[in-house]
Amino acid sequence: MASDQPLATEQRERESVGRDAWWTNGWLLIVAGVWKGGDRMDRAEKCAWQVIETLEAAGHQAYLVGGCVRDRLLARQIVDYDITTSARPEEVQSLFAQTVPTGIRHGTISVLVGSLQYEVTTFRTDGEYTDGRRPSEVQFVRSLVEDLARRDLTINAMALGRDGILHDPFGGQRDLEQQRIRAVGDPRRRFEEDALRILRAIRFAAQLRFEIEERTLQAIAEEASSLQAISRERIREEWHKMLLTHPDLAIRLLLQTDTLRYIFFRPPADRTLWQRAADWAGRAPADLALRTFLLYSAIGLDQPRMEKNMQGLKLSSSLKRELHEQISMQSSGSPAAWSDLQFRQLFFEYGHRAVWRRCLIHAVSQDANRLQAWSERVDHHRQQQPLWNLQDLAVTGQDLIRAGIPAGPALGRWLQRLAQLVLRDPAKNEREVLLHQLQRWRAEETGDA
Ligand code: ATP
Ligand code: MG
């Protein structure tokens, strides 16, 4: 894995500094008018070009590809830079000092440059799909166009070279301009090969607020049942990405193409409930637990059905915990009726985020035009909060032990009691006051008061 001629990252980074201006200028000259924001190159992008340069210096072709090219053209924030190359995985490994064979069977090597990581994938076609999920084998190829042809959507099938030339054999740039989602090649065949692409098409349409081109949309509806072959985990990942973009658009597309039933575990059939769900989730801030709980409420799931849905969708344990917090907080009644003390107690018990979610759920579902007011209200209470956990008490467990409380479960109970006292009266969070109160309680208990 280690190379004979490793890339001396630091040194190359230093060498490249002098070239930034050229890169930047060359970049702007070639792609002026198309490339928005090209005058600013951050470190992640600079290092990506260095990886490409190293591959080229060894006689290979290499390009930025996929999401980073799409997002660069849209002047959106770039999440990660993927690189496609004619070099074979072993060749990639031999050229860089630090690599990880992330998906070596599919031609992907991660190249590490300091704290940055790039996925470098050999040009490939996907071979035969036997199960509608994964190619049974991949074939490495020498042509960029073949590699681009295996990609899902035209807007994701573009590559950019160091010379500033955009390789766009399927009209991705035009589709970006016309705000259109279109499969590469015959959409039915592409969805048959890998049904996850159906969800990716819907997700990108929702994320970018694009239209899905007619043939692609029709193929989605026709191939929707192939989603049954996709693992729950992969479906969940896409579903959550949809929920975090424009969930109202995503839900409408899922309804329109009748794909919802393959995603959402046992969805209710009543479409008006889903219209409401789309509306509520679309209005809430982009928080997964908040939007998920709003959906559950909008479609009227009771607790047992929520639990089944959480299992069915294989939600992560942290998301399940956050949803359970909301279920449990329902017993505290409407936030509109909470007193200051209740806010303090709920903050202490559930934390700020859970209380914020509870209030925003209330705002979206019961008090639609007052999201901002509710956020401010939660913020106001947050600033007043005297105690978030036992560590915020003016006394410690050690203080209590010194005051004669035996270590063990009793100690925890005394601390909790003191915490409740402070929540009722924040001014009492003073060491002397609390220790004095402790002695009074103990005396009362032993009848010495
Ligand atoms: P994101 O912003 O969500 O990361 P992305 O386009 O980078 O978007 P990735 O999942 O990171 O998405 O995939 C990188 C690239 O790999 C895509 O741009 C696309 O070219 C290709 N790709 C990903 N998944 C598929 C798929 N299921 N079928 C065909 N090509 C795919
Ligand atoms: Mg990506």
Side-chain angles (χ1 to χ4, degrees), residues 27 35 41 44-52 56 61-70 72 78 80-85 118-119 144 147-148 151 156-162 165-167:
W27 185 275
W35 222 252
M41 201 187 290
E45 183 170 337
K46 213 185 317 177
C47 290
W49 289 119
Q50 286 166 15
V51 171
I52 289 175
E56 285 183 345
Q61 297 172 53
Y63 306 87
L64 287 185
V65 72
C68 63
V69 177
R70 176 199 68 223
R72 197 73 166 75
I78 295 174
D80 43 32
Y81 290 86
D82 293 331
I83 293 167
T84 186
T85 181
Y118 298 92
E119 293 210 337
L144 171 65
D147 181 84
L148 294 176
R151 293 171 186 273
N156 291 341
M158 293 182 276
L160 182 75
R162 224 158 55 85
I165 293 175
L166 185 71
H167 298 263

mmCIF file of all heavy atoms in Angstrom, residues 27 35 41 44-52 56 61-70 72 78 80-85 118-119 144 147-148 151 156-162 165-167:
data_model
loop_
_atom_site.group_PDB
_atom_site.id
_atom_site.type_symbol
_atom_site.label_atom_id
_atom_site.label_comp_id
_atom_site.label_asym_id
_atom_site.label_seq_id
_atom_site.Cartn_x
_atom_site.Cartn_y
_atom_site.Cartn_z
ATOM 1 N N TRP A 27 -8.697 29.048 -14.614
ATOM 2 C CA TRP A 27 -10.043 28.580 -14.289
ATOM 3 C C TRP A 27 -11.083 29.615 -14.737
ATOM 4 O O TRP A 27 -12.020 29.316 -15.453
ATOM 5 C CB TRP A 27 -10.059 28.421 -12.781
ATOM 6 C CG TRP A 27 -11.284 27.843 -12.196
ATOM 7 C CD1 TRP A 27 -12.413 28.517 -11.854
ATOM 8 C CD2 TRP A 27 -11.507 26.488 -11.887
ATOM 9 N NE1 TRP A 27 -13.323 27.669 -11.340
ATOM 10 C CE2 TRP A 27 -12.805 26.402 -11.343
ATOM 11 C CE3 TRP A 27 -10.775 25.324 -12.011
ATOM 12 C CZ2 TRP A 27 -13.344 25.212 -10.927
ATOM 13 C CZ3 TRP A 27 -11.319 24.156 -11.586
ATOM 14 C CH2 TRP A 27 -12.582 24.098 -11.064
ATOM 15 N N TRP A 35 -19.081 29.190 -14.699
ATOM 16 C CA TRP A 35 -18.623 28.830 -13.365
ATOM 17 C C TRP A 35 -18.871 29.958 -12.393
ATOM 18 O O TRP A 35 -18.241 31.001 -12.502
ATOM 19 C CB TRP A 35 -17.112 28.575 -13.456
ATOM 20 C CG TRP A 35 -16.724 27.393 -12.666
ATOM 21 C CD1 TRP A 35 -16.039 27.408 -11.501
ATOM 22 C CD2 TRP A 35 -16.997 26.048 -12.979
ATOM 23 N NE1 TRP A 35 -15.873 26.136 -11.059
ATOM 24 C CE2 TRP A 35 -16.453 25.269 -11.938
ATOM 25 C CE3 TRP A 35 -17.675 25.387 -14.000
ATOM 26 C CZ2 TRP A 35 -16.545 23.899 -11.928
ATOM 27 C CZ3 TRP A 35 -17.753 24.034 -13.977
ATOM 28 C CH2 TRP A 35 -17.197 23.309 -12.951
ATOM 29 N N MET A 41 -10.823 29.489 -4.249
ATOM 30 C CA MET A 41 -10.562 28.062 -4.203
ATOM 31 C C MET A 41 -10.160 27.693 -2.786
ATOM 32 O O MET A 41 -9.165 28.178 -2.277
ATOM 33 C CB MET A 41 -9.463 27.719 -5.174
ATOM 34 C CG MET A 41 -9.489 26.260 -5.561
ATOM 35 S SD MET A 41 -8.085 25.812 -6.557
ATOM 36 C CE MET A 41 -8.450 26.642 -8.069
ATOM 37 N N ALA A 44 -9.713 22.397 0.378
ATOM 38 C CA ALA A 44 -10.164 21.073 -0.056
ATOM 39 C C ALA A 44 -10.091 20.952 -1.570
ATOM 40 O O ALA A 44 -9.681 19.929 -2.119
ATOM 41 C CB ALA A 44 -11.587 20.829 0.432
ATOM 42 N N GLU A 45 -10.470 22.018 -2.246
ATOM 43 C CA GLU A 45 -10.448 21.972 -3.707
ATOM 44 C C GLU A 45 -9.001 21.989 -4.214
ATOM 45 O O GLU A 45 -8.645 21.262 -5.140
ATOM 46 C CB GLU A 45 -11.239 23.141 -4.277
ATOM 47 C CG GLU A 45 -11.283 23.069 -5.792
ATOM 48 C CD GLU A 45 -12.248 24.053 -6.406
ATOM 49 O OE1 GLU A 45 -13.182 24.494 -5.723
ATOM 50 O OE2 GLU A 45 -12.054 24.377 -7.584
ATOM 51 N N LYS A 46 -8.186 22.824 -3.585
ATOM 52 C CA LYS A 46 -6.785 22.926 -3.989
ATOM 53 C C LYS A 46 -6.112 21.557 -3.885
ATOM 54 O O LYS A 46 -5.421 21.100 -4.790
ATOM 55 C CB LYS A 46 -6.082 23.931 -3.062
ATOM 56 C CG LYS A 46 -4.991 24.695 -3.749
ATOM 57 C CD LYS A 46 -4.213 25.611 -2.828
ATOM 58 C CE LYS A 46 -5.003 26.426 -1.845
ATOM 59 N NZ LYS A 46 -4.141 27.215 -0.951
ATOM 60 N N CYS A 47 -6.360 20.879 -2.762
ATOM 61 C CA CYS A 47 -5.742 19.562 -2.576
ATOM 62 C C CYS A 47 -6.295 18.553 -3.590
ATOM 63 O O CYS A 47 -5.565 17.676 -4.036
ATOM 64 C CB CYS A 47 -5.967 19.055 -1.157
ATOM 65 S SG CYS A 47 -5.014 19.988 0.043
ATOM 66 N N ALA A 48 -7.586 18.686 -3.931
ATOM 67 C CA ALA A 48 -8.156 17.768 -4.932
ATOM 68 C C ALA A 48 -7.408 17.913 -6.250
ATOM 69 O O ALA A 48 -7.048 16.932 -6.909
ATOM 70 C CB ALA A 48 -9.643 18.061 -5.122
ATOM 71 N N TRP A 49 -7.128 19.169 -6.614
ATOM 72 C CA TRP A 49 -6.389 19.377 -7.871
ATOM 73 C C TRP A 49 -4.968 18.847 -7.768
ATOM 74 O O TRP A 49 -4.395 18.366 -8.745
ATOM 75 C CB TRP A 49 -6.381 20.863 -8.250
ATOM 76 C CG TRP A 49 -7.728 21.366 -8.714
ATOM 77 C CD1 TRP A 49 -8.465 22.341 -8.141
ATOM 78 C CD2 TRP A 49 -8.491 20.901 -9.840
ATOM 79 N NE1 TRP A 49 -9.646 22.524 -8.822
ATOM 80 C CE2 TRP A 49 -9.686 21.646 -9.867
ATOM 81 C CE3 TRP A 49 -8.287 19.906 -10.797
ATOM 82 C CZ2 TRP A 49 -10.675 21.452 -10.833
ATOM 83 C CZ3 TRP A 49 -9.270 19.706 -11.764
ATOM 84 C CH2 TRP A 49 -10.440 20.473 -11.778
ATOM 85 N N GLN A 50 -4.412 18.876 -6.575
ATOM 86 C CA GLN A 50 -3.061 18.310 -6.416
ATOM 87 C C GLN A 50 -3.070 16.795 -6.597
ATOM 88 O O GLN A 50 -2.159 16.228 -7.194
ATOM 89 C CB GLN A 50 -2.502 18.655 -5.036
ATOM 90 C CG GLN A 50 -2.075 20.103 -4.930
ATOM 91 C CD GLN A 50 -1.856 20.530 -3.490
ATOM 92 O OE1 GLN A 50 -1.746 19.710 -2.585
ATOM 93 N NE2 GLN A 50 -1.799 21.827 -3.289
ATOM 94 N N VAL A 51 -4.119 16.154 -6.074
ATOM 95 C CA VAL A 51 -4.229 14.701 -6.262
ATOM 96 C C VAL A 51 -4.332 14.398 -7.758
ATOM 97 O O VAL A 51 -3.656 13.510 -8.287
ATOM 98 C CB VAL A 51 -5.456 14.149 -5.490
ATOM 99 C CG1 VAL A 51 -5.710 12.693 -5.841
ATOM 100 C CG2 VAL A 51 -5.261 14.314 -3.982
ATOM 101 N N ILE A 52 -5.133 15.194 -8.454
ATOM 102 C CA ILE A 52 -5.302 15.003 -9.892
ATOM 103 C C ILE A 52 -3.974 15.228 -10.622
ATOM 104 O O ILE A 52 -3.577 14.460 -11.504
ATOM 105 C CB ILE A 52 -6.423 15.933 -10.412
ATOM 106 C CG1 ILE A 52 -7.770 15.404 -9.898
ATOM 107 C CG2 ILE A 52 -6.413 16.056 -11.930
ATOM 108 C CD1 ILE A 52 -8.961 16.264 -10.220
ATOM 109 N N GLU A 56 -1.929 12.689 -13.012
ATOM 110 C CA GLU A 56 -1.577 13.053 -14.395
ATOM 111 C C GLU A 56 -0.062 12.965 -14.606
ATOM 112 O O GLU A 56 0.397 12.503 -15.654
ATOM 113 C CB GLU A 56 -2.073 14.463 -14.712
ATOM 114 C CG GLU A 56 -3.576 14.491 -14.935
ATOM 115 C CD GLU A 56 -4.099 15.875 -15.326
ATOM 116 O OE1 GLU A 56 -3.357 16.869 -15.153
ATOM 117 O OE2 GLU A 56 -5.241 15.944 -15.786
ATOM 118 N N GLN A 61 -5.132 9.689 -16.686
ATOM 119 C CA GLN A 61 -6.143 10.761 -16.768
ATOM 120 C C GLN A 61 -6.829 10.853 -15.396
ATOM 121 O O GLN A 61 -7.006 9.835 -14.734
ATOM 122 C CB GLN A 61 -7.218 10.407 -17.785
ATOM 123 C CG GLN A 61 -6.749 10.258 -19.212
ATOM 124 C CD GLN A 61 -7.896 9.709 -20.057
ATOM 125 O OE1 GLN A 61 -9.000 10.250 -20.059
ATOM 126 N NE2 GLN A 61 -7.637 8.629 -20.756
ATOM 127 N N ALA A 62 -7.211 12.040 -15.030
ATOM 128 C CA ALA A 62 -7.933 12.180 -13.750
ATOM 129 C C ALA A 62 -8.784 13.444 -13.792
ATOM 130 O O ALA A 62 -8.393 14.451 -14.396
ATOM 131 C CB ALA A 62 -6.950 12.248 -12.587
ATOM 132 N N TYR A 63 -9.966 13.368 -13.170
ATOM 133 C CA TYR A 63 -10.936 14.471 -13.222
ATOM 134 C C TYR A 63 -11.708 14.548 -11.912
ATOM 135 O O TYR A 63 -11.928 13.534 -11.248
ATOM 136 C CB TYR A 63 -11.967 14.226 -14.343
ATOM 137 C CG TYR A 63 -11.353 13.975 -15.682
ATOM 138 C CD1 TYR A 63 -10.984 12.690 -16.069
ATOM 139 C CD2 TYR A 63 -11.133 15.034 -16.572
ATOM 140 C CE1 TYR A 63 -10.400 12.456 -17.314
ATOM 141 C CE2 TYR A 63 -10.557 14.809 -17.815
ATOM 142 C CZ TYR A 63 -10.187 13.520 -18.176
ATOM 143 O OH TYR A 63 -9.615 13.294 -19.393
ATOM 144 N N LEU A 64 -12.189 15.742 -11.613
ATOM 145 C CA LEU A 64 -13.234 15.857 -10.591
ATOM 146 C C LEU A 64 -14.504 15.318 -11.232
ATOM 147 O O LEU A 64 -14.728 15.525 -12.439
ATOM 148 C CB LEU A 64 -13.481 17.318 -10.223
ATOM 149 C CG LEU A 64 -12.444 18.040 -9.383
ATOM 150 C CD1 LEU A 64 -12.951 19.443 -9.047
ATOM 151 C CD2 LEU A 64 -12.138 17.274 -8.099
ATOM 152 N N VAL A 65 -15.357 14.675 -10.438
ATOM 153 C CA VAL A 65 -16.538 14.061 -11.049
ATOM 154 C C VAL A 65 -17.726 14.067 -10.093
ATOM 155 O O VAL A 65 -17.547 14.139 -8.878
ATOM 156 C CB VAL A 65 -16.196 12.598 -11.474
ATOM 157 C CG1 VAL A 65 -16.067 11.683 -10.250
ATOM 158 C CG2 VAL A 65 -17.211 12.040 -12.470
ATOM 159 N N GLY A 66 -18.912 13.990 -10.683
ATOM 160 C CA GLY A 66 -20.124 13.769 -9.877
ATOM 161 C C GLY A 66 -20.587 15.000 -9.112
ATOM 162 O O GLY A 66 -20.568 16.117 -9.630
ATOM 163 N N GLY A 67 -20.948 14.759 -7.841
ATOM 164 C CA GLY A 67 -21.588 15.791 -7.026
ATOM 165 C C GLY A 67 -20.809 17.094 -6.932
ATOM 166 O O GLY A 67 -21.394 18.180 -6.941
ATOM 167 N N CYS A 68 -19.472 17.002 -6.864
ATOM 168 C CA CYS A 68 -18.704 18.248 -6.684
ATOM 169 C C CYS A 68 -18.759 19.105 -7.951
ATOM 170 O O CYS A 68 -18.786 20.336 -7.869
ATOM 171 C CB CYS A 68 -17.274 17.962 -6.264
ATOM 172 S SG CYS A 68 -16.288 17.051 -7.438
ATOM 173 N N VAL A 69 -18.818 18.470 -9.104
ATOM 174 C CA VAL A 69 -18.904 19.241 -10.359
ATOM 175 C C VAL A 69 -20.297 19.875 -10.453
ATOM 176 O O VAL A 69 -20.450 21.061 -10.757
ATOM 177 C CB VAL A 69 -18.615 18.337 -11.578
ATOM 178 C CG1 VAL A 69 -18.780 19.113 -12.875
ATOM 179 C CG2 VAL A 69 -17.213 17.745 -11.470
ATOM 180 N N ARG A 70 -21.296 19.060 -10.147
ATOM 181 C CA ARG A 70 -22.684 19.570 -10.155
ATOM 182 C C ARG A 70 -22.826 20.759 -9.200
ATOM 183 O O ARG A 70 -23.303 21.832 -9.600
ATOM 184 C CB ARG A 70 -23.617 18.415 -9.718
ATOM 185 C CG ARG A 70 -25.068 18.773 -9.566
ATOM 186 C CD ARG A 70 -25.791 17.741 -8.710
ATOM 187 N NE ARG A 70 -25.342 17.794 -7.319
ATOM 188 C CZ ARG A 70 -25.085 16.743 -6.569
ATOM 189 N NH1 ARG A 70 -25.234 15.511 -7.025
ATOM 190 N NH2 ARG A 70 -24.674 16.900 -5.309
ATOM 191 N N ARG A 72 -20.573 22.661 -7.902
ATOM 192 C CA ARG A 72 -19.723 23.795 -8.282
ATOM 193 C C ARG A 72 -20.448 24.626 -9.344
ATOM 194 O O ARG A 72 -20.483 25.846 -9.277
ATOM 195 C CB ARG A 72 -18.397 23.245 -8.807
ATOM 196 C CG ARG A 72 -17.287 24.228 -8.856
ATOM 197 C CD ARG A 72 -16.811 24.514 -7.424
ATOM 198 N NE ARG A 72 -15.534 25.195 -7.417
ATOM 199 C CZ ARG A 72 -15.373 26.475 -7.719
ATOM 200 N NH1 ARG A 72 -16.404 27.225 -8.042
ATOM 201 N NH2 ARG A 72 -14.184 27.016 -7.692
ATOM 202 N N ILE A 78 -19.843 22.595 -1.511
ATOM 203 C CA ILE A 78 -19.407 21.267 -1.947
ATOM 204 C C ILE A 78 -19.098 20.404 -0.731
ATOM 205 O O ILE A 78 -18.359 20.809 0.161
ATOM 206 C CB ILE A 78 -18.194 21.377 -2.881
ATOM 207 C CG1 ILE A 78 -18.644 22.109 -4.150
ATOM 208 C CG2 ILE A 78 -17.615 20.000 -3.210
ATOM 209 C CD1 ILE A 78 -17.557 22.438 -5.121
ATOM 210 N N ASP A 80 -18.064 16.882 -0.739
ATOM 211 C CA ASP A 80 -16.782 16.196 -0.921
ATOM 212 C C ASP A 80 -16.411 16.135 -2.394
ATOM 213 O O ASP A 80 -17.271 16.179 -3.266
ATOM 214 C CB ASP A 80 -16.774 14.814 -0.263
ATOM 215 C CG ASP A 80 -18.047 14.054 -0.508
ATOM 216 O OD1 ASP A 80 -18.661 14.239 -1.585
ATOM 217 O OD2 ASP A 80 -18.455 13.295 0.373
ATOM 218 N N TYR A 81 -15.101 16.059 -2.599
ATOM 219 C CA TYR A 81 -14.574 16.053 -3.964
ATOM 220 C C TYR A 81 -14.257 14.613 -4.350
ATOM 221 O O TYR A 81 -13.387 13.995 -3.730
ATOM 222 C CB TYR A 81 -13.299 16.901 -4.041
ATOM 223 C CG TYR A 81 -13.563 18.377 -3.889
ATOM 224 C CD1 TYR A 81 -13.636 18.963 -2.632
ATOM 225 C CD2 TYR A 81 -13.755 19.180 -5.008
ATOM 226 C CE1 TYR A 81 -13.902 20.314 -2.493
ATOM 227 C CE2 TYR A 81 -14.017 20.532 -4.878
ATOM 228 C CZ TYR A 81 -14.092 21.090 -3.615
ATOM 229 O OH TYR A 81 -14.351 22.428 -3.486
ATOM 230 N N ASP A 82 -14.962 14.092 -5.334
ATOM 231 C CA ASP A 82 -14.651 12.750 -5.827
ATOM 232 C C ASP A 82 -13.847 12.874 -7.107
ATOM 233 O O ASP A 82 -14.053 13.795 -7.905
ATOM 234 C CB ASP A 82 -15.942 11.966 -6.084
ATOM 235 C CG ASP A 82 -16.675 11.667 -4.794
ATOM 236 O OD1 ASP A 82 -16.009 11.544 -3.749
ATOM 237 O OD2 ASP A 82 -17.915 11.569 -4.813
ATOM 238 N N ILE A 83 -12.953 11.904 -7.279
ATOM 239 C CA ILE A 83 -12.057 11.941 -8.434
ATOM 240 C C ILE A 83 -12.212 10.647 -9.209
ATOM 241 O O ILE A 83 -12.331 9.566 -8.615
ATOM 242 C CB ILE A 83 -10.594 12.129 -7.933
ATOM 243 C CG1 ILE A 83 -10.469 13.523 -7.312
ATOM 244 C CG2 ILE A 83 -9.584 11.913 -9.069
ATOM 245 C CD1 ILE A 83 -9.213 13.749 -6.503
ATOM 246 N N THR A 84 -12.257 10.758 -10.527
ATOM 247 C CA THR A 84 -12.299 9.573 -11.369
ATOM 248 C C THR A 84 -11.022 9.541 -12.198
ATOM 249 O O THR A 84 -10.526 10.583 -12.622
ATOM 250 C CB THR A 84 -13.582 9.545 -12.241
ATOM 251 O OG1 THR A 84 -13.640 8.307 -12.925
ATOM 252 C CG2 THR A 84 -13.633 10.677 -13.252
ATOM 253 N N THR A 85 -10.472 8.339 -12.385
ATOM 254 C CA THR A 85 -9.149 8.258 -13.024
ATOM 255 C C THR A 85 -9.017 7.004 -13.884
ATOM 256 O O THR A 85 -9.695 6.001 -13.635
ATOM 257 C CB THR A 85 -8.040 8.247 -11.944
ATOM 258 O OG1 THR A 85 -6.767 8.184 -12.597
ATOM 259 C CG2 THR A 85 -8.160 7.086 -10.986
ATOM 260 N N TYR A 118 -10.046 11.977 -0.107
ATOM 261 C CA TYR A 118 -10.633 11.988 -1.457
ATOM 262 C C TYR A 118 -10.882 10.558 -1.896
ATOM 263 O O TYR A 118 -10.011 9.711 -1.758
ATOM 264 C CB TYR A 118 -9.670 12.674 -2.443
ATOM 265 C CG TYR A 118 -9.424 14.113 -2.055
ATOM 266 C CD1 TYR A 118 -8.345 14.452 -1.238
ATOM 267 C CD2 TYR A 118 -10.310 15.113 -2.431
ATOM 268 C CE1 TYR A 118 -8.143 15.759 -0.828
ATOM 269 C CE2 TYR A 118 -10.119 16.423 -2.024
ATOM 270 C CZ TYR A 118 -9.036 16.739 -1.217
ATOM 271 O OH TYR A 118 -8.850 18.026 -0.804
ATOM 272 N N GLU A 119 -12.061 10.329 -2.468
ATOM 273 C CA GLU A 119 -12.312 9.009 -3.038
ATOM 274 C C GLU A 119 -11.868 9.042 -4.486
ATOM 275 O O GLU A 119 -12.384 9.842 -5.289
ATOM 276 C CB GLU A 119 -13.792 8.671 -2.939
ATOM 277 C CG GLU A 119 -14.217 8.488 -1.505
ATOM 278 C CD GLU A 119 -15.364 7.512 -1.319
ATOM 279 O OE1 GLU A 119 -16.125 7.285 -2.284
ATOM 280 O OE2 GLU A 119 -15.478 6.981 -0.199
ATOM 281 N N LEU A 144 -13.205 7.774 -20.099
ATOM 282 C CA LEU A 144 -13.987 8.601 -19.188
ATOM 283 C C LEU A 144 -15.477 8.523 -19.526
ATOM 284 O O LEU A 144 -16.322 8.411 -18.637
ATOM 285 C CB LEU A 144 -13.498 10.055 -19.260
ATOM 286 C CG LEU A 144 -14.349 11.083 -18.521
ATOM 287 C CD1 LEU A 144 -14.322 10.842 -17.017
ATOM 288 C CD2 LEU A 144 -13.880 12.509 -18.824
ATOM 289 N N ASP A 147 -17.236 5.661 -18.150
ATOM 290 C CA ASP A 147 -17.425 5.825 -16.711
ATOM 291 C C ASP A 147 -18.606 6.750 -16.433
ATOM 292 O O ASP A 147 -19.444 6.479 -15.570
ATOM 293 C CB ASP A 147 -16.152 6.390 -16.065
ATOM 294 C CG ASP A 147 -16.316 6.559 -14.566
ATOM 295 O OD1 ASP A 147 -16.108 5.577 -13.831
ATOM 296 O OD2 ASP A 147 -16.679 7.669 -14.131
ATOM 297 N N LEU A 148 -18.700 7.826 -17.181
ATOM 298 C CA LEU A 148 -19.804 8.770 -16.958
ATOM 299 C C LEU A 148 -21.147 8.118 -17.292
ATOM 300 O O LEU A 148 -22.163 8.405 -16.661
ATOM 301 C CB LEU A 148 -19.585 10.051 -17.773
ATOM 302 C CG LEU A 148 -18.371 10.901 -17.345
ATOM 303 C CD1 LEU A 148 -18.190 12.107 -18.272
ATOM 304 C CD2 LEU A 148 -18.500 11.372 -15.891
ATOM 305 N N ARG A 151 -23.235 6.434 -14.550
ATOM 306 C CA ARG A 151 -23.737 7.262 -13.448
ATOM 307 C C ARG A 151 -25.238 7.485 -13.579
ATOM 308 O O ARG A 151 -25.800 7.299 -14.636
ATOM 309 C CB ARG A 151 -22.933 8.563 -13.370
ATOM 310 C CG ARG A 151 -21.508 8.249 -12.957
ATOM 311 C CD ARG A 151 -20.561 9.398 -13.045
ATOM 312 N NE ARG A 151 -19.211 8.922 -12.767
ATOM 313 C CZ ARG A 151 -18.669 8.822 -11.554
ATOM 314 N NH1 ARG A 151 -19.349 9.237 -10.501
ATOM 315 N NH2 ARG A 151 -17.457 8.351 -11.398
ATOM 316 N N ASN A 156 -25.252 14.423 -12.562
ATOM 317 C CA ASN A 156 -24.192 13.779 -11.772
ATOM 318 C C ASN A 156 -23.166 13.107 -12.676
ATOM 319 O O ASN A 156 -22.298 12.391 -12.196
ATOM 320 C CB ASN A 156 -24.783 12.706 -10.853
ATOM 321 C CG ASN A 156 -25.628 13.304 -9.749
ATOM 322 O OD1 ASN A 156 -25.499 14.488 -9.463
ATOM 323 N ND2 ASN A 156 -26.478 12.497 -9.156
ATOM 324 N N ALA A 157 -23.305 13.280 -13.978
ATOM 325 C CA ALA A 157 -22.449 12.546 -14.918
ATOM 326 C C ALA A 157 -21.552 13.509 -15.692
ATOM 327 O O ALA A 157 -21.411 13.412 -16.911
ATOM 328 C CB ALA A 157 -23.320 11.718 -15.873
ATOM 329 N N MET A 158 -20.977 14.447 -14.964
ATOM 330 C CA MET A 158 -20.061 15.397 -15.594
ATOM 331 C C MET A 158 -18.712 15.318 -14.893
ATOM 332 O O MET A 158 -18.655 15.042 -13.689
ATOM 333 C CB MET A 158 -20.605 16.825 -15.455
ATOM 334 C CG MET A 158 -21.874 17.056 -16.241
ATOM 335 S SD MET A 158 -22.440 18.762 -16.081
ATOM 336 C CE MET A 158 -23.336 18.687 -14.553
ATOM 337 N N ALA A 159 -17.667 15.584 -15.674
ATOM 338 C CA ALA A 159 -16.313 15.564 -15.100
ATOM 339 C C ALA A 159 -15.596 16.836 -15.517
ATOM 340 O O ALA A 159 -15.845 17.380 -16.597
ATOM 341 C CB ALA A 159 -15.554 14.331 -15.583
ATOM 342 N N LEU A 160 -14.714 17.272 -14.655
ATOM 343 C CA LEU A 160 -13.965 18.508 -14.928
ATOM 344 C C LEU A 160 -12.471 18.237 -14.820
ATOM 345 O O LEU A 160 -12.008 17.681 -13.819
ATOM 346 C CB LEU A 160 -14.364 19.570 -13.904
ATOM 347 C CG LEU A 160 -13.691 20.922 -14.118
ATOM 348 C CD1 LEU A 160 -14.320 21.655 -15.302
ATOM 349 C CD2 LEU A 160 -13.785 21.769 -12.861
ATOM 350 N N GLY A 161 -11.756 18.637 -15.880
ATOM 351 C CA GLY A 161 -10.307 18.415 -15.896
ATOM 352 C C GLY A 161 -9.558 19.631 -15.376
ATOM 353 O O GLY A 161 -10.130 20.714 -15.214
ATOM 354 N N ARG A 162 -8.264 19.419 -15.182
ATOM 355 C CA ARG A 162 -7.418 20.507 -14.674
ATOM 356 C C ARG A 162 -7.292 21.620 -15.711
ATOM 357 O O ARG A 162 -6.974 22.756 -15.386
ATOM 358 C CB ARG A 162 -6.040 19.935 -14.321
ATOM 359 C CG ARG A 162 -5.491 20.419 -12.992
ATOM 360 C CD ARG A 162 -4.451 19.478 -12.455
ATOM 361 N NE ARG A 162 -3.374 19.248 -13.392
ATOM 362 C CZ ARG A 162 -2.293 20.023 -13.527
ATOM 363 N NH1 ARG A 162 -2.163 21.097 -12.773
ATOM 364 N NH2 ARG A 162 -1.361 19.728 -14.394
ATOM 365 N N ILE A 165 -11.723 22.086 -18.771
ATOM 366 C CA ILE A 165 -12.737 21.600 -19.732
ATOM 367 C C ILE A 165 -13.744 20.700 -19.015
ATOM 368 O O ILE A 165 -13.362 19.799 -18.258
ATOM 369 C CB ILE A 165 -12.064 20.853 -20.906
ATOM 370 C CG1 ILE A 165 -11.254 21.865 -21.718
ATOM 371 C CG2 ILE A 165 -13.101 20.140 -21.781
ATOM 372 C CD1 ILE A 165 -10.444 21.264 -22.838
ATOM 373 N N LEU A 166 -15.004 20.990 -19.279
ATOM 374 C CA LEU A 166 -16.080 20.203 -18.686
ATOM 375 C C LEU A 166 -16.441 19.062 -19.637
ATOM 376 O O LEU A 166 -16.728 19.304 -20.811
ATOM 377 C CB LEU A 166 -17.292 21.115 -18.479
ATOM 378 C CG LEU A 166 -18.483 20.497 -17.757
ATOM 379 C CD1 LEU A 166 -18.167 20.272 -16.279
ATOM 380 C CD2 LEU A 166 -19.712 21.391 -17.904
ATOM 381 N N HIS A 167 -16.407 17.837 -19.154
ATOM 382 C CA HIS A 167 -16.795 16.678 -19.974
ATOM 383 C C HIS A 167 -18.236 16.342 -19.615
ATOM 384 O O HIS A 167 -18.514 15.942 -18.481
ATOM 385 C CB HIS A 167 -15.863 15.503 -19.700
ATOM 386 C CG HIS A 167 -14.444 15.832 -20.065
ATOM 387 N ND1 HIS A 167 -13.887 15.463 -21.271
ATOM 388 C CD2 HIS A 167 -13.501 16.545 -19.403
ATOM 389 C CE1 HIS A 167 -12.639 15.925 -21.315
ATOM 390 N NE2 HIS A 167 -12.386 16.590 -20.209
#
